[in-house]
Amino acid sequence: MLELASRLHTARARDAGHKSASLSADRVLRQHFSMILPDSMPVDAQFVDSSERTVVGAAGLAFKAPVMAYLLKDPEAFHFLKPLWQEGMSVLIMSHPRGTPVSVIFPHGQETRVLKHIPQAIQEKIGEAFRTASFWAGTLNDEGHHVIDLKSPSPGPHFFVNLLLGNRIGFEKPLQTTPKSVVDRLGHGSFRSHAATQVLATRWDMRPEENGFPANRQFYLVEDGRQIFYSAAPNDSNVEWAQAVHAQNRTRITYRTHCGLEIVRLIFLLPHEDGLPLASEVQSIFLFNHSNRDRHLRLVVTGMFGAASPGALQEDVVYTNLAMQASVLKRSDGSIAAISPNYNSAWNKEDVRFHAMVVHQGKRLFFPDEFCSDYNEFVGRGTMEHPECLLHLSNRLARKGPGFFALAANVDVPIGDSARVDNFTGLVSGKLDPAFDDESLSEQVELLLDRYSAEGEVDRALERSLEFLDRYSRHVQVDTGNPRFDQYFNRNLPFQILYQTFLSRSFCQTQKGYREIGFREIQDLFASMPYFISMGHSWLVKDLLKEWASQIYEFGYANHNFYWKGKEPGEFSDDALWFVQALDIYVNHTGDMAFLDEQRDIAGSDPTRQRSIYETVKAILRYSGEISIGKHRLPLLDKADWNDTLRLDYDYLNGPQKEAAYNQQLESHHDPSKPFESDYSESVMNAFLLKVALDAARKMASRRGDSAYAEKLEALADRLRRDLQQHAWKGNFFARVLFNRYADGRYAYLGARGDDLSADPAIDGTYFLNSFNWSILADVATEEQIGIMLNVIRDILLTPHGLKLCSPVNYSAVSERGGSGEYFAGDRENGGVFKHANMMGVAAMLKAAKTVKDRNLAAELRDLAYRIVDLVMPFRTMDDPFVLCGNPRFCTQYNNSETGENVGPLLSGTATWLWLSLMAAYGIKITAEGIELDPILKDIKQEIRLSLNTGKASYRVKIAKPNGFCRVRDEMPLVQLDGLPVASNRIPLFKDGKVHRVNVVFGSG
């Protein structure tokens, strides 16, 4: 009889009764050596065969690391260890502290025995593996840069990845045209210009480690007819040492070779300038000769241009090849200015990719004089690591794609001297250039090379990029006494928020597809707009908001996704509601009420018409609050809401379909006060979002003097709150969805006690984190309800890795096919620790902790909030990198709730809502009327300091308190401004350009 063994999610398999559910190798090792392995000691183990009875393992590590895989790849270590386990005996290699030799141990009854003799060479190999394993994940330096040994194993696909961003602020359409790159520790990865347009190609396969085609940004060195170096082979015998440093918006990779060369690579994106290509990435290669002889080197660089029609790769690879051929721009002396793919169809000619190379050798400047445009020709019978045709490139233009390129030049480096080779990969586009024509490529490449061939110009471009990032990050800086936290908050968190502002969250290491920008991405603006405003870039925030506003239809629904054109109109019912929140943050921060009168295009109007931002808000609220609502007067779920895999109504109507059906309803009943009639499901989550939007718009209307509309919105908000309390509160939790389609009442709601949809018989219903989060953020939940729900989420949703998005759900009972149900439990929307929602939860808990009357409840909310914040910090991955994975500098989207592994994508709302939550914790709220100070710190935290720059003045804020729980509601702190007491916890918003000192002291009385 066959037995099913599943190594993944073994706990669930055992619960389901599978006879041979696999134990992990680590657990078997602990069973065999329980007498000497405490549970707290990290171990690493592998089964020796598929019977899963015998293991070979290691202990005495700083954290779990793949030491056994590392050792078993070494032939000497393997041949030493294999005979030891062949008698069916498990083997434990144990390292001892203070440099004493390792031991090889076998189980022996209830005791153990130790191998008496280990050859000295094996002792050294094993000892070296144990010593170096602690450094395999690299280190974070004082500036928050990730310093990485290229020879070490990788904890996961995201761990050794950096993000690079161009700068088109001040130029047209920066939201859609800002260039972006992903770079791993070897320089691999892809590069996009406007929207989803690839400059360097993505690798279209299932391996998350390969975002870009392997040839991207790589190069070879040849000497005396022999390859001596390949940039993607740090373990080559000639490489003595290799290191990458991922810093904010640039990556530096350094190698030292046994033959006396030092090779340095610097990768970043050029900030945009008039007349230059829309997107340009630089890789500067520096060659230093530390040997005792002159070096005559041949440098060959490679890459793969993005396909003009990537979707066709799925359908017709031959088409994509035959529609493209190679071209070369040559200088007057016959050398190569740039190599470029040439697409045949006119619609593909609008975006032209190129690669150029400039060699600086002493005072001499020259260009490559050999090229290859055929990948198969270049590699031949060899491999990418050792191509067959490296010694001489064919200089033949390929008649068909793919868009591979190689350029070569000879570089002489005398003893003690150096040379520099700047590589420019970019895209010239007619997307925003009315003068674009067949000559634009040569004209813009010539300008680029003229501009950046001059000595020092590339370095100055990097300085400009870093200076911008420094000014951006200065908005708020903290000194908490925790260096790791401060480095992250002050350096890496602002950069991730900046990066995410200009692109879809689909672009990072593992997301290779083309999800476009959508209204959920506008949440990133919640955090980035205070940074931009402090730089004097309020105009940029308005431009970005207007671009989103133009994706909202006259009826009030929005395009779910858009680049140059919108799509999926009205399919996801939360979309336009996020816009109102973003607008509210901008208006409150700046007091710029005039912005509400600015005109924007109405999506879908033909001919194009415009309306004001204010009228756009009115349309959103009418659609979401008065028309597209269900029988309980809550917004319809539609295809999905915030959780876009929670799909329950497969016969839903999108925006245009619903608009047409509603107009038919009006023709029949002639009653515009009636909402759209249907049996569709209602989203409680979106009802909370609607409540937030109604409250925000009411304040805007009041400030405009539109009292009639303000009163209407107040009445709608009050009615909505009553409806939520009456229909969505189920005794111990707010539901997530209300059903209307079950005439027999079989299922009335999803979420909360008694819904009869729990997939875990031990739980009395299903529970969704966002029902807790947004009931508080929307000011709907009462203090009693908050206390009840807090107990539920602690009992059911809290894991060692954070709060699960939901408890186990029997999705198949209510959905033919739902994305959540397609994941195993613990993954993503099916009970994963969705850190985006966790941070929304933190924001909700901190809000409630400041306002509830019960001090004990307030302290419990605050303590859980800080616990979740601590779990989300990306630098925490360094404590257990091969288990937690993720990235130590950037937030990933979620953790697996069973294993704790940080799983991508890298880009997510986690960073945004983490920043919002931390600003709430520190109690810093900037409004047009002043700066409100309402901190709520940990019990043991007695002091933190902040530097706040509004762009018009600076503040040095010190928050101090005794041990214990302190909050403004219970005790007004002593507030001093420039040494003088202030009567409240609000200080003026100065515009004098000066530095003001602020003290907020609890317990002073």
Side-chain angles (χ1 to χ4, degrees):
M1 179 177 178
L2 297 178
E3 296 179 347
L4 175 65
S6 175
R7 199 177 300 277
L8 293 174
H9 307 288
T10 55
R12 184 177 62 258
R14 286 193 299 278
D15 292 341
H18 294 318
K19 290 172 61 178
S20 63
S22 300
L23 288 171
S24 71
D26 289 2
R27 188 176 300 180
V28 173
L29 183 76
R30 291 188 188 278
Q31 290 175 350
H32 286 319
F33 296 94
S34 59
M35 63 293 291
I36 60 172
L37 290 180
D39 290 341
S40 60
M41 180 177 286
V43 300
D44 176 62
Q46 287 192 9
F47 290 111
V48 302
D49 58 34
S50 61
S51 69
E52 299 184 353
R53 297 188 185 95
T54 306
V55 294
V56 56
L61 303 163
F63 45 69
K64 177 178 172 59
V67 170
M68 291 315 307
Y70 184 87
L71 289 172
L72 293 174
K73 286 188 290 188
D74 182 274
E76 286 185 80
F78 171 77
H79 288 300
F80 167 74
L81 291 170
K82 184 176 180 180
L84 302 181
W85 73 63
Q86 283 190 312
E87 300 301 320
M89 298 278 281
S90 290
V91 180
L92 172 64
I93 305 170
M94 196 157 186
S95 176
H96 303 285
R98 299 183 179 87
T100 54
V102 295
S103 300
V104 176
I105 307 170
F106 307 92
H108 188 67
Q110 298 300 312
E111 300 178 349
T112 60
R113 61 186 178 89
V114 179
L115 185 68
K116 293 182 178 179
H117 175 69
I118 304 174
Q120 183 64 29
I122 299 298
Q123 277 268 21
E124 291 175 359
K125 282 182 183 291
I126 295 174
E128 177 69 13
F130 275 84
R131 281 192 300 275
T132 59
S134 298
F135 304 101
W136 285 349
T139 59
L140 294 175
N141 68 17
D142 292 341
E143 298 178 279
H145 304 165
H146 194 183
V147 182
I148 305 158
D149 179 0
L150 298 192
K151 293 176 177 285
S152 64
S154 173
H158 298 89
F159 202 88
F160 290 138
V161 168
N162 200 10
L163 304 174
L164 309 179
L165 188 71
N167 189 336
R168 280 186 48 85
I169 293 175
F171 295 92
E172 192 176 356
K173 299 281 187 183
L175 179 65
Q176 300 196 51
T177 62
T178 297
K180 51 270 181 187
S181 292
V182 59
V183 181
D184 72 8
R185 60 176 171 167
L186 297 176
H188 288 131
S190 61
F191 165 33
R192 291 185 187 174
S193 57
H194 65 81
T197 304
Q198 291 185 345
V199 184
L200 288 174
T202 288
R203 181 72 177 261
W204 294 92
D205 63 12
M206 288 286 286
R207 296 188 68 242
E209 291 81 2
E210 291 187 342
N211 171 277
F213 192 84
N216 290 350
R217 306 189 189 99
Q218 303 307 315
F219 61 93
Y220 308 80
L221 291 177
V222 176
E223 187 174 35
D224 297 327
R226 181 174 62 89
Q227 178 182 326
I228 63 167
F229 176 81
Y230 176 48
S231 55
N235 291 310
D236 185 85
S237 59
N238 189 33
V239 178
E240 176 185 359
W241 174 87
Q243 180 187 84
V245 179
H246 286 327
Q248 296 84 20
N249 221 11
R250 74 274 193 199
T251 286
R252 184 182 296 271
I253 307 171
T254 306
Y255 313 79
R256 286 202 298 262
T257 68
H258 289 289
C259 68
L261 293 176
E262 181 180 352
I263 303 156
V264 179
R265 309 162 64 186
L266 178 63
I267 305 170
F268 69 99
L269 295 175
L270 290 176
H272 187 65
E273 297 179 52
D274 275 323
L276 296 186
L278 185 72
S280 298
E281 181 184 89
V282 176
Q283 178 176 208
S284 294
I285 302 169
F286 303 86
L287 304 173
F288 300 92
N289 182 3
H290 300 308
S291 69
N292 57 5
R293 57 191 174 89
D294 294 342
R295 309 301 292 267
H296 304 286
L297 304 173
R298 172 181 172 81
L299 173 70
V300 182
V301 300
T302 64
M304 179 70 77
F305 292 120
S309 181
L313 296 176
Q314 199 173 10
E315 303 293 335
D316 191 345
V317 173
V318 174
Y319 160 77
T320 59
N321 274 260
L322 295 177
M324 174 172 57
Q325 63 183 12
S327 63
V328 171
L329 287 176
K330 292 187 179 180
R331 300 173 61 83
S332 58
D333 61 358
S335 62
I336 301 163
I339 188 168
S340 176
N342 179 15
Y343 300 102
N344 183 57
S345 53
W347 60 271
N348 276 332
K349 291 181 179 293
E350 186 180 46
D351 295 316
V352 187
R353 298 149 182 86
F354 68 89
H355 181 88
M357 185 169 110
V358 182
V359 183
H360 298 266
Q361 185 176 293
K363 296 295 184 181
R364 184 178 169 227
L365 181 151
F366 59 95
F367 295 82
D369 55 8
E370 292 180 29
F371 70 91
C372 177
S373 55
D374 186 322
Y375 175 84
N376 292 330
E377 181 181 77
F378 179 74
V379 172
R381 294 167 298 175
T383 63
M384 198 70 217
E385 290 73 23
H386 292 279
E388 188 177 33
C389 298
L390 191 60
L391 300 184
H392 185 266
L393 304 185
S394 67
N395 302 302
R396 180 167 50 241
L397 291 171
R399 288 291 302 272
K400 57 182 181 293
F404 173 80
F405 64 87
L407 296 179
N410 295 319
V411 185
D412 294 334
V413 190
I415 296 173
D417 208 343
S418 65
R420 172 176 185 156
V421 182
D422 290 326
N423 290 271
F424 303 93
T425 307
L427 178 134
V428 173
S429 178
K431 202 69 183 179
L432 299 174
D433 182 3
F436 182 84
D437 59 23
D438 291 342
E439 301 302 316
S440 294
L441 174 66
S442 58
E443 291 169 355
Q444 293 187 30
V445 168
E446 185 175 10
L447 285 172
L448 176 77
L449 296 178
D450 287 347
R451 174 81 166 85
Y452 287 106
S453 292
E455 186 175 354
E457 282 303 313
V458 170
D459 297 330
R460 282 187 279 274
L462 178 59
E463 289 171 7
R464 292 196 302 277
S465 175
L466 299 183
E467 191 273 335
F468 174 89
L469 185 56
D470 179 65
R471 285 193 295 121
Y472 175 87
S473 301
R474 271 184 234 156
H475 169 57
V476 59
Q477 299 275 286
V478 299
D479 178 3
T480 66
N482 180 343
R484 288 208 308 178
F485 177 89
D486 295 347
Q487 291 160 10
Y488 171 67
F489 183 92
N490 295 336
R491 295 176 180 272
N492 290 321
L493 180 57
F495 178 70
Q496 182 170 5
I497 293 169
L498 173 68
Y499 189 91
Q500 292 181 175
T501 300
F502 293 102
L503 62 151
S504 164
R505 291 182 189 143
S506 72
F507 183 66
C508 61
Q509 176 66 5
T510 55
Q511 300 294 101
K512 304 175 185 182
Y514 286 109
R515 196 186 105 170
E516 299 174 0
I517 288 172
F519 277 79
R520 271 165 284 192
E521 274 82 5
I522 205 173
Q523 291 175 66
D524 296 317
L525 202 57
F526 294 6
S528 64
M529 73 171 76
Y531 285 92
F532 289 135
I533 291 167
S534 74
M535 299 177 73
H537 288 356
S538 295
W539 54 269
L540 171 63
V541 176
K542 291 194 292 184
D543 284 351
L544 295 174
L545 288 170
K546 286 190 288 187
E547 191 155 1
W548 266 291
S550 67
Q551 297 296 325
I552 299 170
Y553 287 73
E554 186 168 22
F555 204 49
Y557 52 83
N559 285 316
H560 180 59
N561 284 317
F562 64 91
Y563 271 140
W564 301 107
K565 294 181 179 180
K567 66 180 185 182
E568 301 169 296
E571 293 195 4
F572 294 78
S573 54
D574 63 322
D575 283 337
L577 293 171
W578 295 112
F579 174 79
V580 182
Q581 285 195 49
L583 179 64
D584 181 51
I585 293 171
Y586 171 76
V587 170
N588 284 335
H589 202 101
T590 63
D592 181 12
M593 295 298 295
F595 178 57
L596 299 179
D597 293 316
E598 295 202 23
Q599 301 291 306
R600 284 309 294 162
D601 292 349
I602 300 172
S605 59
D606 187 17
T608 302
R609 290 176 287 108
Q610 292 194 328
R611 67 181 165 197
S612 69
I613 299 292
Y614 189 58
E615 291 299 322
T616 301
V617 170
K618 284 186 172 183
I620 292 168
L621 298 181
R622 172 157 166 72
Y623 177 77
S624 297
E626 299 180 74
I627 296 175
S628 183
I629 57 178
K631 294 181 177 179
H632 305 89
R633 298 190 295 198
L634 309 186
L636 296 180
L637 178 68
D638 293 338
K639 184 177 183 180
D641 58 12
W642 180 87
N643 177 9
D644 63 6
T645 62
L646 188 62
R647 301 182 181 183
L648 303 174
D649 291 340
Y650 276 80
D651 59 345
Y652 75 96
L653 300 180
N654 66 20
Q657 290 168 336
K658 193 185 301 177
E659 183 177 1
Y662 178 71
N663 287 334
Q664 282 188 330
Q665 177 181 309
L666 282 180
E667 290 176 8
S668 301
H669 301 294
H670 307 288
D671 187 354
S673 66
K674 280 191 173 183
F676 175 61
E677 296 175 350
S678 76
D679 291 328
Y680 292 129
S681 303
E682 295 165 79
S683 167
V684 177
M685 163 90 182
N686 280 359
F688 293 133
L689 292 180
L690 174 61
K691 172 65 164 53
V692 173
L694 289 169
D695 290 343
R698 176 182 56 79
K699 293 174 185 175
M700 294 181 212
S702 296
R703 292 170 71 178
R704 283 173 64 89
D706 190 352
S707 57
Y709 188 55
E711 289 171 5
K712 175 183 178 178
L713 295 179
E714 185 172 19
L716 282 172
D718 288 344
R719 187 189 78 181
L720 179 59
R721 187 181 189 283
R722 291 194 302 271
D723 288 337
L724 282 162
Q725 287 288 349
Q726 179 181 351
H727 303 297
W729 176 252
K730 300 301 179 182
N732 71 336
F733 221 75
F734 281 99
R736 182 66 173 77
V737 173
L738 303 183
F739 293 115
N740 295 308
R741 68 175 183 260
Y742 297 101
D744 60 358
R746 176 71 181 89
Y747 299 110
Y749 60 93
L750 170 67
R753 182 172 57 206
D755 66 0
D756 202 26
L757 288 166
S758 175
D760 185 339
I763 302 176
D764 61 2
T766 63
Y767 296 91
F768 288 78
L769 179 59
N770 271 327
S771 294
F772 170 81
N773 300 345
W774 284 96
S775 67
I776 296 173
L777 293 171
D779 295 316
V780 171
T782 65
E783 182 166 333
E784 180 185 10
Q785 289 169 338
I786 292 170
I788 293 170
M789 290 190 292
L790 181 62
N791 288 330
V792 172
I793 66 171
R794 283 188 302 207
D795 291 344
I796 295 175
L797 299 183
L798 183 61
T799 77
H801 316 295
L803 293 165
K804 294 192 289 188
L805 187 66
C806 61
S807 63
V809 181
N810 179 16
Y811 287 110
S812 61
V814 291
S815 175
E816 296 175 7
R817 178 185 175 190
S820 297
E822 293 174 6
Y823 297 115
F824 288 110
D827 283 329
R828 295 210 170 188
E829 286 89 353
N830 193 5
V833 176
F834 228 102
K835 290 184 284 188
H836 186 168
N838 271 234
M839 292 300 96
M840 290 173 172
V842 169
M845 285 183 265
L846 291 173
K847 177 177 180 176
K850 295 179 184 183
T851 56
V852 296
K853 295 177 182 178
D854 186 336
R855 280 176 55 84
N856 291 329
L857 174 59
E860 291 174 7
L861 287 160
R862 179 211 55 184
D863 290 345
L864 182 56
Y866 273 108
R867 178 178 174 183
I868 300 304
V869 166
D870 290 342
L871 289 172
V872 162
M873 288 296 145
F875 55 75
R876 180 174 165 266
T877 60
M878 299 297 283
D879 298 334
D880 202 358
F882 290 90
V883 172
L884 297 177
C885 304
N887 185 288
R889 296 173 57 239
F890 303 122
C891 293
T892 54
Q893 176 71 301
Y894 80 99
N895 293 80
N896 179 284
S897 60
E898 294 182 5
T899 67
E901 179 184 356
N902 288 270
V903 184
L906 283 180
L907 308 185
S908 75
T910 306
T912 294
W913 281 89
L914 171 58
W915 187 87
L916 294 170
S917 296
L918 289 169
M919 293 301 286
Y922 303 144
I924 305 294
K925 184 177 181 180
I926 301 175
T927 70
E929 289 76 35
I931 301 174
E932 184 180 300
L933 305 168
D934 190 10
I936 186 163
L937 306 182
K938 293 181 178 179
D939 272 356
I940 60 172
K941 178 60 69 175
Q942 292 186 315
E943 179 180 304
I944 67 165
R945 296 175 183 267
L946 299 98
S947 171
L948 182 68
N949 173 29
T950 66
K952 296 180 179 178
S954 295
Y955 302 80
R956 302 293 181 264
V957 182
K958 173 185 171 183
I959 302 170
K961 71 172 192 60
N963 275 336
F965 181 70
C966 297
R967 60 176 180 166
V968 170
R969 178 186 171 91
D970 301 324
E971 171 202 350
M972 181 60 65
L974 172 65
V975 179
Q976 292 178 320
L977 175 61
D978 296 328
L980 299 175
V982 179
S984 72
N985 64 326
R986 175 173 286 176
I987 60 175
L989 194 61
F990 291 107
K991 300 179 181 180
D992 55 12
K994 296 180 179 179
V995 176
H996 299 274
R997 301 198 174 275
V998 181
N999 290 333
V1000 182
V1001 183
F1002 290 91
S1004 58

